[in-house]
Amino acid sequence: MAGFASILPLCLRELTFAAGGRAIIRGVSARFDAGPATIILGANGAGKSVLMRLMHGLLAPSSGEVSWNGQGPARARRGQAMVFQRPVMLRRSALANVLYALELAGIHAPQRERQAMDALEEVGLAAVAQRPARVLSGGEQQRLALARAWALHPEVLFLDEPTANLDPGATREIEAVIRAFDASGTKIIMSTHNLGQARRLGDEVLCIHQGRLVERAPVEAFFAKPASAEAAAFIKGESPWA
Amino acid sequence: MPGTAEAVRGALGLIGAGDPVLAGIVALSLAVSLSAVALAALIGLPLGAAIAVGRFPGRRALIVLLNALMGLPPVVVGLLIYLLLSRAGPLGEMGLLFTPSAMVIAQTVLVLPIIAALCRQAVEDAWVEYEEQLRSLGAEGLRAALTLVWDIRFSLVTAVLAGLGRALAEVGAVMIVGGNIDGVTRVMTTTIALETSKGDLPLALSLGFILIALVVLLNAAAHLIKEAAQRRYG
Ligand SMILES: Nc1ncnc2c1ncn2[C@@H]1O[C@H](COP(=O)(O)OP(=O)(O)O)[C@@H](O)[C@H]1O
Ligand SMILES: [Mg+2]
């Protein structure tokens, strides 16, 4: 990312997405700048995944627009990476999966190996670099997905409920890697429906309810005193002690 | 009509002795079908992959057609290739009718839809799983297709072996375009048909045993390759 013009800020203007005759994202406008780790919070089916796909350019909006530092989405491709809820690995070694991403990103061959091994090291997978990626455990595969993203040195990293399918131990490891990503200056935009995770990793929260952005606030303020009725109801419903 | 036991004994005798006529027929069968499958794979695998990831008008119709062609009756393929290659046909001047080359062409046409259709299905299933990840990484079009094909290579081996099984076992197409000429275009299936009608059961039966063994072997190989790949690569 160094040396190039930033792709941030990311701006959403009246973003709408409809499918099957139903509005899934309804008029979301927001601006994301470098710095704070952003949590997209919302119940299952609220539209978090669709919103992240719209931002990352995997879905085209029905109306409204996504712009990156004033430019269209095409110019910002290289500066972003995304980690999905379920990691998709190719039938090759863990290392080869990272190398593949680097090759697509146009990194020169002599540099790839070093960059890939550094990334595997970063997520604690250097020891299994030569193992076939798909026989790794769920948690390891998700860390590999993070290494694959890390190796690309993205300016913005999207994470769509990256720990939703993992046990607590694997979740802790993933969260540690995300924190390191954040500390290295990468802009984190992560969705979750887990309040604890939002508190642990987030600086600010965007609360999505039925496809609408109902509240945006710094994380402490959001949990201390949510401003919207929807956010308050969601926090209440998700809290085990409520 | 000779007894069955006697025929079986005769058949095993022929196999055991490595009868040269028998060996020649088996060798020609394998040469014809392997060549046909190699050609069909060369065309069918890229074709199937292109249809799987491509978006073009008439795609749905093409898929339906391809699936229908999988069940093409061999005699009809034989007839069509016969018309093409016969003296008066558009390719008659090449003089290929009643040669092993004609048989290779006919079996290629027969097997091509099978390999292409199975490949299309396998690549499309993989595409559903990989699409978002590959697009996120910046792989689109041909690049994405090649990645998919390589990733499911073991499923594609199964598709090709299914084609080989079909080619080895069919009678109608090779019978019509090959003419079943002794020592020139006689393969296992056409010999079985002819010798059975002539009453030479030992030769027919020995070829039947070999054919069954080959088909079982192919299926076992397909199964084992897939299983080993699953264990190795997940
Ligand atoms: N491509 C699509 N076509 C139609 N409906 C979709 C599509 N993707 C998601 N949906 C629907 O949109 C709603 C929001 O989905 P999603 O963004 O996955 O929710 P979340 O990630 O917040 O759990 C759900 O009701 C889902 O069924
Ligand atoms: Mg989701």
Side-chain angles (χ1 to χ4, degrees), chain B residues 32-52:
Chain B
V32 166
S33 294
L34 284 171
S35 309
V37 167
L39 279 174
L42 216 59
I43 306 167
L45 293 177
L47 182 66
I51 296 171

mmCIF file with all atom_site columns, all heavy atoms in Angstrom, chain B residues 32-52:
data_model
loop_
_atom_site.group_PDB
_atom_site.id
_atom_site.type_symbol
_atom_site.label_atom_id
_atom_site.label_alt_id
_atom_site.label_comp_id
_atom_site.label_asym_id
_atom_site.label_entity_id
_atom_site.label_seq_id
_atom_site.pdbx_PDB_ins_code
_atom_site.Cartn_x
_atom_site.Cartn_y
_atom_site.Cartn_z
_atom_site.occupancy
_atom_site.B_iso_or_equiv
_atom_site.pdbx_formal_charge
_atom_site.auth_seq_id
_atom_site.auth_comp_id
_atom_site.auth_asym_id
_atom_site.auth_atom_id
_atom_site.pdbx_PDB_model_num
ATOM 1   N N   . VAL B 1 32 ? -7.968  -48.186 -30.888 1.00 0.00 ? 32 VAL B N   1
ATOM 2   C CA  . VAL B 1 32 ? -9.050  -47.363 -31.439 1.00 0.00 ? 32 VAL B CA  1
ATOM 3   C C   . VAL B 1 32 ? -9.710  -46.540 -30.329 1.00 0.00 ? 32 VAL B C   1
ATOM 4   O O   . VAL B 1 32 ? -9.850  -45.313 -30.420 1.00 0.00 ? 32 VAL B O   1
ATOM 5   C CB  . VAL B 1 32 ? -10.100 -48.239 -32.158 1.00 0.00 ? 32 VAL B CB  1
ATOM 6   C CG1 . VAL B 1 32 ? -11.372 -47.439 -32.429 1.00 0.00 ? 32 VAL B CG1 1
ATOM 7   C CG2 . VAL B 1 32 ? -9.534  -48.796 -33.449 1.00 0.00 ? 32 VAL B CG2 1
ATOM 8   N N   . SER B 1 33 ? -10.096 -47.227 -29.246 1.00 0.00 ? 33 SER B N   1
ATOM 9   C CA  . SER B 1 33 ? -10.850 -46.525 -28.202 1.00 0.00 ? 33 SER B CA  1
ATOM 10  C C   . SER B 1 33 ? -9.992  -45.518 -27.454 1.00 0.00 ? 33 SER B C   1
ATOM 11  O O   . SER B 1 33 ? -10.444 -44.422 -27.120 1.00 0.00 ? 33 SER B O   1
ATOM 12  C CB  . SER B 1 33 ? -11.463 -47.532 -27.229 1.00 0.00 ? 33 SER B CB  1
ATOM 13  O OG  . SER B 1 33 ? -12.438 -48.303 -27.911 1.00 0.00 ? 33 SER B OG  1
ATOM 14  N N   . LEU B 1 34 ? -8.720  -45.873 -27.192 1.00 0.00 ? 34 LEU B N   1
ATOM 15  C CA  . LEU B 1 34 ? -7.850  -44.920 -26.495 1.00 0.00 ? 34 LEU B CA  1
ATOM 16  C C   . LEU B 1 34 ? -7.599  -43.676 -27.349 1.00 0.00 ? 34 LEU B C   1
ATOM 17  O O   . LEU B 1 34 ? -7.619  -42.548 -26.850 1.00 0.00 ? 34 LEU B O   1
ATOM 18  C CB  . LEU B 1 34 ? -6.514  -45.588 -26.125 1.00 0.00 ? 34 LEU B CB  1
ATOM 19  C CG  . LEU B 1 34 ? -6.573  -46.553 -24.933 1.00 0.00 ? 34 LEU B CG  1
ATOM 20  C CD1 . LEU B 1 34 ? -5.258  -47.323 -24.795 1.00 0.00 ? 34 LEU B CD1 1
ATOM 21  C CD2 . LEU B 1 34 ? -6.866  -45.797 -23.641 1.00 0.00 ? 34 LEU B CD2 1
ATOM 22  N N   . SER B 1 35 ? -7.398  -43.884 -28.670 1.00 0.00 ? 35 SER B N   1
ATOM 23  C CA  . SER B 1 35 ? -7.200  -42.725 -29.550 1.00 0.00 ? 35 SER B CA  1
ATOM 24  C C   . SER B 1 35 ? -8.446  -41.854 -29.549 1.00 0.00 ? 35 SER B C   1
ATOM 25  O O   . SER B 1 35 ? -8.363  -40.620 -29.467 1.00 0.00 ? 35 SER B O   1
ATOM 26  C CB  . SER B 1 35 ? -6.923  -43.169 -30.988 1.00 0.00 ? 35 SER B CB  1
ATOM 27  O OG  . SER B 1 35 ? -5.905  -44.124 -31.019 1.00 0.00 ? 35 SER B OG  1
ATOM 28  N N   . ALA B 1 36 ? -9.604  -42.501 -29.661 1.00 0.00 ? 36 ALA B N   1
ATOM 29  C CA  . ALA B 1 36 ? -10.860 -41.742 -29.711 1.00 0.00 ? 36 ALA B CA  1
ATOM 30  C C   . ALA B 1 36 ? -11.056 -40.944 -28.427 1.00 0.00 ? 36 ALA B C   1
ATOM 31  O O   . ALA B 1 36 ? -11.430 -39.767 -28.457 1.00 0.00 ? 36 ALA B O   1
ATOM 32  C CB  . ALA B 1 36 ? -12.036 -42.691 -29.931 1.00 0.00 ? 36 ALA B CB  1
ATOM 33  N N   . VAL B 1 37 ? -10.773 -41.579 -27.296 1.00 0.00 ? 37 VAL B N   1
ATOM 34  C CA  . VAL B 1 37 ? -10.977 -40.896 -26.012 1.00 0.00 ? 37 VAL B CA  1
ATOM 35  C C   . VAL B 1 37 ? -9.969  -39.757 -25.843 1.00 0.00 ? 37 VAL B C   1
ATOM 36  O O   . VAL B 1 37 ? -10.312 -38.684 -25.338 1.00 0.00 ? 37 VAL B O   1
ATOM 37  C CB  . VAL B 1 37 ? -10.889 -41.904 -24.847 1.00 0.00 ? 37 VAL B CB  1
ATOM 38  C CG1 . VAL B 1 37 ? -10.777 -41.183 -23.511 1.00 0.00 ? 37 VAL B CG1 1
ATOM 39  C CG2 . VAL B 1 37 ? -12.113 -42.806 -24.861 1.00 0.00 ? 37 VAL B CG2 1
ATOM 40  N N   . ALA B 1 38 ? -8.730  -39.968 -26.306 1.00 0.00 ? 38 ALA B N   1
ATOM 41  C CA  . ALA B 1 38 ? -7.730  -38.900 -26.224 1.00 0.00 ? 38 ALA B CA  1
ATOM 42  C C   . ALA B 1 38 ? -8.203  -37.688 -27.025 1.00 0.00 ? 38 ALA B C   1
ATOM 43  O O   . ALA B 1 38 ? -8.157  -36.548 -26.550 1.00 0.00 ? 38 ALA B O   1
ATOM 44  C CB  . ALA B 1 38 ? -6.384  -39.396 -26.741 1.00 0.00 ? 38 ALA B CB  1
ATOM 45  N N   . LEU B 1 39 ? -8.681  -37.933 -28.247 1.00 0.00 ? 39 LEU B N   1
ATOM 46  C CA  . LEU B 1 39 ? -9.183  -36.830 -29.080 1.00 0.00 ? 39 LEU B CA  1
ATOM 47  C C   . LEU B 1 39 ? -10.390 -36.157 -28.432 1.00 0.00 ? 39 LEU B C   1
ATOM 48  O O   . LEU B 1 39 ? -10.484 -34.930 -28.367 1.00 0.00 ? 39 LEU B O   1
ATOM 49  C CB  . LEU B 1 39 ? -9.599  -37.364 -30.460 1.00 0.00 ? 39 LEU B CB  1
ATOM 50  C CG  . LEU B 1 39 ? -8.473  -37.574 -31.461 1.00 0.00 ? 39 LEU B CG  1
ATOM 51  C CD1 . LEU B 1 39 ? -9.000  -38.252 -32.726 1.00 0.00 ? 39 LEU B CD1 1
ATOM 52  C CD2 . LEU B 1 39 ? -7.847  -36.231 -31.802 1.00 0.00 ? 39 LEU B CD2 1
ATOM 53  N N   . ALA B 1 40 ? -11.319 -37.000 -27.954 1.00 0.00 ? 40 ALA B N   1
ATOM 54  C CA  . ALA B 1 40 ? -12.547 -36.452 -27.358 1.00 0.00 ? 40 ALA B CA  1
ATOM 55  C C   . ALA B 1 40 ? -12.224 -35.635 -26.111 1.00 0.00 ? 40 ALA B C   1
ATOM 56  O O   . ALA B 1 40 ? -12.850 -34.610 -25.854 1.00 0.00 ? 40 ALA B O   1
ATOM 57  C CB  . ALA B 1 40 ? -13.511 -37.585 -27.020 1.00 0.00 ? 40 ALA B CB  1
ATOM 58  N N   . ALA B 1 41 ? -11.223 -36.071 -25.333 1.00 0.00 ? 41 ALA B N   1
ATOM 59  C CA  . ALA B 1 41 ? -10.844 -35.327 -24.127 1.00 0.00 ? 41 ALA B CA  1
ATOM 60  C C   . ALA B 1 41 ? -10.198 -33.996 -24.496 1.00 0.00 ? 41 ALA B C   1
ATOM 61  O O   . ALA B 1 41 ? -10.466 -32.960 -23.890 1.00 0.00 ? 41 ALA B O   1
ATOM 62  C CB  . ALA B 1 41 ? -9.892  -36.159 -23.272 1.00 0.00 ? 41 ALA B CB  1
ATOM 63  N N   . LEU B 1 42 ? -9.372  -34.042 -25.550 1.00 0.00 ? 42 LEU B N   1
ATOM 64  C CA  . LEU B 1 42 ? -8.685  -32.835 -26.017 1.00 0.00 ? 42 LEU B CA  1
ATOM 65  C C   . LEU B 1 42 ? -9.696  -31.751 -26.403 1.00 0.00 ? 42 LEU B C   1
ATOM 66  O O   . LEU B 1 42 ? -9.474  -30.562 -26.154 1.00 0.00 ? 42 LEU B O   1
ATOM 67  C CB  . LEU B 1 42 ? -7.834  -33.203 -27.238 1.00 0.00 ? 42 LEU B CB  1
ATOM 68  C CG  . LEU B 1 42 ? -6.495  -32.488 -27.387 1.00 0.00 ? 42 LEU B CG  1
ATOM 69  C CD1 . LEU B 1 42 ? -5.608  -32.750 -26.192 1.00 0.00 ? 42 LEU B CD1 1
ATOM 70  C CD2 . LEU B 1 42 ? -5.816  -32.915 -28.684 1.00 0.00 ? 42 LEU B CD2 1
ATOM 71  N N   . ILE B 1 43 ? -10.788 -32.164 -27.022 1.00 0.00 ? 43 ILE B N   1
ATOM 72  C CA  . ILE B 1 43 ? -11.810 -31.190 -27.431 1.00 0.00 ? 43 ILE B CA  1
ATOM 73  C C   . ILE B 1 43 ? -12.847 -30.996 -26.318 1.00 0.00 ? 43 ILE B C   1
ATOM 74  O O   . ILE B 1 43 ? -13.270 -29.888 -26.026 1.00 0.00 ? 43 ILE B O   1
ATOM 75  C CB  . ILE B 1 43 ? -12.538 -31.676 -28.702 1.00 0.00 ? 43 ILE B CB  1
ATOM 76  C CG1 . ILE B 1 43 ? -11.516 -31.986 -29.795 1.00 0.00 ? 43 ILE B CG1 1
ATOM 77  C CG2 . ILE B 1 43 ? -13.551 -30.643 -29.179 1.00 0.00 ? 43 ILE B CG2 1
ATOM 78  C CD1 . ILE B 1 43 ? -12.094 -32.766 -30.964 1.00 0.00 ? 43 ILE B CD1 1
ATOM 79  N N   . GLY B 1 44 ? -13.249 -32.105 -25.695 1.00 0.00 ? 44 GLY B N   1
ATOM 80  C CA  . GLY B 1 44 ? -14.388 -32.074 -24.783 1.00 0.00 ? 44 GLY B CA  1
ATOM 81  C C   . GLY B 1 44 ? -14.119 -31.374 -23.458 1.00 0.00 ? 44 GLY B C   1
ATOM 82  O O   . GLY B 1 44 ? -15.011 -30.708 -22.930 1.00 0.00 ? 44 GLY B O   1
ATOM 83  N N   . LEU B 1 45 ? -12.904 -31.521 -22.917 1.00 0.00 ? 45 LEU B N   1
ATOM 84  C CA  . LEU B 1 45 ? -12.627 -30.898 -21.615 1.00 0.00 ? 45 LEU B CA  1
ATOM 85  C C   . LEU B 1 45 ? -12.643 -29.366 -21.703 1.00 0.00 ? 45 LEU B C   1
ATOM 86  O O   . LEU B 1 45 ? -13.360 -28.714 -20.933 1.00 0.00 ? 45 LEU B O   1
ATOM 87  C CB  . LEU B 1 45 ? -11.307 -31.416 -21.032 1.00 0.00 ? 45 LEU B CB  1
ATOM 88  C CG  . LEU B 1 45 ? -11.302 -32.907 -20.635 1.00 0.00 ? 45 LEU B CG  1
ATOM 89  C CD1 . LEU B 1 45 ? -9.926  -33.336 -20.130 1.00 0.00 ? 45 LEU B CD1 1
ATOM 90  C CD2 . LEU B 1 45 ? -12.357 -33.205 -19.578 1.00 0.00 ? 45 LEU B CD2 1
ATOM 91  N N   . PRO B 1 46 ? -11.910 -28.762 -22.658 1.00 0.00 ? 46 PRO B N   1
ATOM 92  C CA  . PRO B 1 46 ? -11.999 -27.297 -22.780 1.00 0.00 ? 46 PRO B CA  1
ATOM 93  C C   . PRO B 1 46 ? -13.410 -26.837 -23.134 1.00 0.00 ? 46 PRO B C   1
ATOM 94  O O   . PRO B 1 46 ? -13.890 -25.827 -22.612 1.00 0.00 ? 46 PRO B O   1
ATOM 95  C CB  . PRO B 1 46 ? -11.032 -26.968 -23.924 1.00 0.00 ? 46 PRO B CB  1
ATOM 96  C CG  . PRO B 1 46 ? -10.154 -28.147 -24.076 1.00 0.00 ? 46 PRO B CG  1
ATOM 97  C CD  . PRO B 1 46 ? -10.921 -29.336 -23.594 1.00 0.00 ? 46 PRO B CD  1
ATOM 98  N N   . LEU B 1 47 ? -14.078 -27.610 -24.000 1.00 0.00 ? 47 LEU B N   1
ATOM 99  C CA  . LEU B 1 47 ? -15.440 -27.240 -24.402 1.00 0.00 ? 47 LEU B CA  1
ATOM 100 C C   . LEU B 1 47 ? -16.372 -27.234 -23.190 1.00 0.00 ? 47 LEU B C   1
ATOM 101 O O   . LEU B 1 47 ? -17.115 -26.275 -22.954 1.00 0.00 ? 47 LEU B O   1
ATOM 102 C CB  . LEU B 1 47 ? -15.950 -28.237 -25.455 1.00 0.00 ? 47 LEU B CB  1
ATOM 103 C CG  . LEU B 1 47 ? -17.339 -27.974 -26.027 1.00 0.00 ? 47 LEU B CG  1
ATOM 104 C CD1 . LEU B 1 47 ? -17.332 -26.681 -26.836 1.00 0.00 ? 47 LEU B CD1 1
ATOM 105 C CD2 . LEU B 1 47 ? -17.777 -29.137 -26.922 1.00 0.00 ? 47 LEU B CD2 1
ATOM 106 N N   . GLY B 1 48 ? -16.312 -28.309 -22.397 1.00 0.00 ? 48 GLY B N   1
ATOM 107 C CA  . GLY B 1 48 ? -17.161 -28.395 -21.208 1.00 0.00 ? 48 GLY B CA  1
ATOM 108 C C   . GLY B 1 48 ? -16.869 -27.273 -20.226 1.00 0.00 ? 48 GLY B C   1
ATOM 109 O O   . GLY B 1 48 ? -17.782 -26.650 -19.684 1.00 0.00 ? 48 GLY B O   1
ATOM 110 N N   . ALA B 1 49 ? -15.584 -26.984 -20.034 1.00 0.00 ? 49 ALA B N   1
ATOM 111 C CA  . ALA B 1 49 ? -15.201 -25.920 -19.091 1.00 0.00 ? 49 ALA B CA  1
ATOM 112 C C   . ALA B 1 49 ? -15.679 -24.567 -19.591 1.00 0.00 ? 49 ALA B C   1
ATOM 113 O O   . ALA B 1 49 ? -16.181 -23.749 -18.819 1.00 0.00 ? 49 ALA B O   1
ATOM 114 C CB  . ALA B 1 49 ? -13.679 -25.916 -18.906 1.00 0.00 ? 49 ALA B CB  1
ATOM 115 N N   . ALA B 1 50 ? -15.548 -24.340 -20.905 1.00 0.00 ? 50 ALA B N   1
ATOM 116 C CA  . ALA B 1 50 ? -15.967 -23.053 -21.480 1.00 0.00 ? 50 ALA B CA  1
ATOM 117 C C   . ALA B 1 50 ? -17.469 -22.857 -21.302 1.00 0.00 ? 50 ALA B C   1
ATOM 118 O O   . ALA B 1 50 ? -17.931 -21.771 -20.944 1.00 0.00 ? 50 ALA B O   1
ATOM 119 C CB  . ALA B 1 50 ? -15.584 -22.981 -22.958 1.00 0.00 ? 50 ALA B CB  1
ATOM 120 N N   . ILE B 1 51 ? -18.234 -23.927 -21.543 1.00 0.00 ? 51 ILE B N   1
ATOM 121 C CA  . ILE B 1 51 ? -19.690 -23.813 -21.387 1.00 0.00 ? 51 ILE B CA  1
ATOM 122 C C   . ILE B 1 51 ? -20.042 -23.573 -19.919 1.00 0.00 ? 51 ILE B C   1
ATOM 123 O O   . ILE B 1 51 ? -20.970 -22.836 -19.593 1.00 0.00 ? 51 ILE B O   1
ATOM 124 C CB  . ILE B 1 51 ? -20.395 -25.082 -21.907 1.00 0.00 ? 51 ILE B CB  1
ATOM 125 C CG1 . ILE B 1 51 ? -20.150 -25.237 -23.410 1.00 0.00 ? 51 ILE B CG1 1
ATOM 126 C CG2 . ILE B 1 51 ? -21.904 -25.032 -21.629 1.00 0.00 ? 51 ILE B CG2 1
ATOM 127 C CD1 . ILE B 1 51 ? -20.616 -26.560 -23.977 1.00 0.00 ? 51 ILE B CD1 1
ATOM 128 N N   . ALA B 1 52 ? -19.272 -24.193 -19.025 1.00 0.00 ? 52 ALA B N   1
ATOM 129 C CA  . ALA B 1 52 ? -19.559 -24.062 -17.589 1.00 0.00 ? 52 ALA B CA  1
ATOM 130 C C   . ALA B 1 52 ? -19.391 -22.633 -17.091 1.00 0.00 ? 52 ALA B C   1
ATOM 131 O O   . ALA B 1 52 ? -20.221 -22.134 -16.339 1.00 0.00 ? 52 ALA B O   1
ATOM 132 C CB  . ALA B 1 52 ? -18.660 -25.004 -16.787 1.00 0.00 ? 52 ALA B CB  1
#
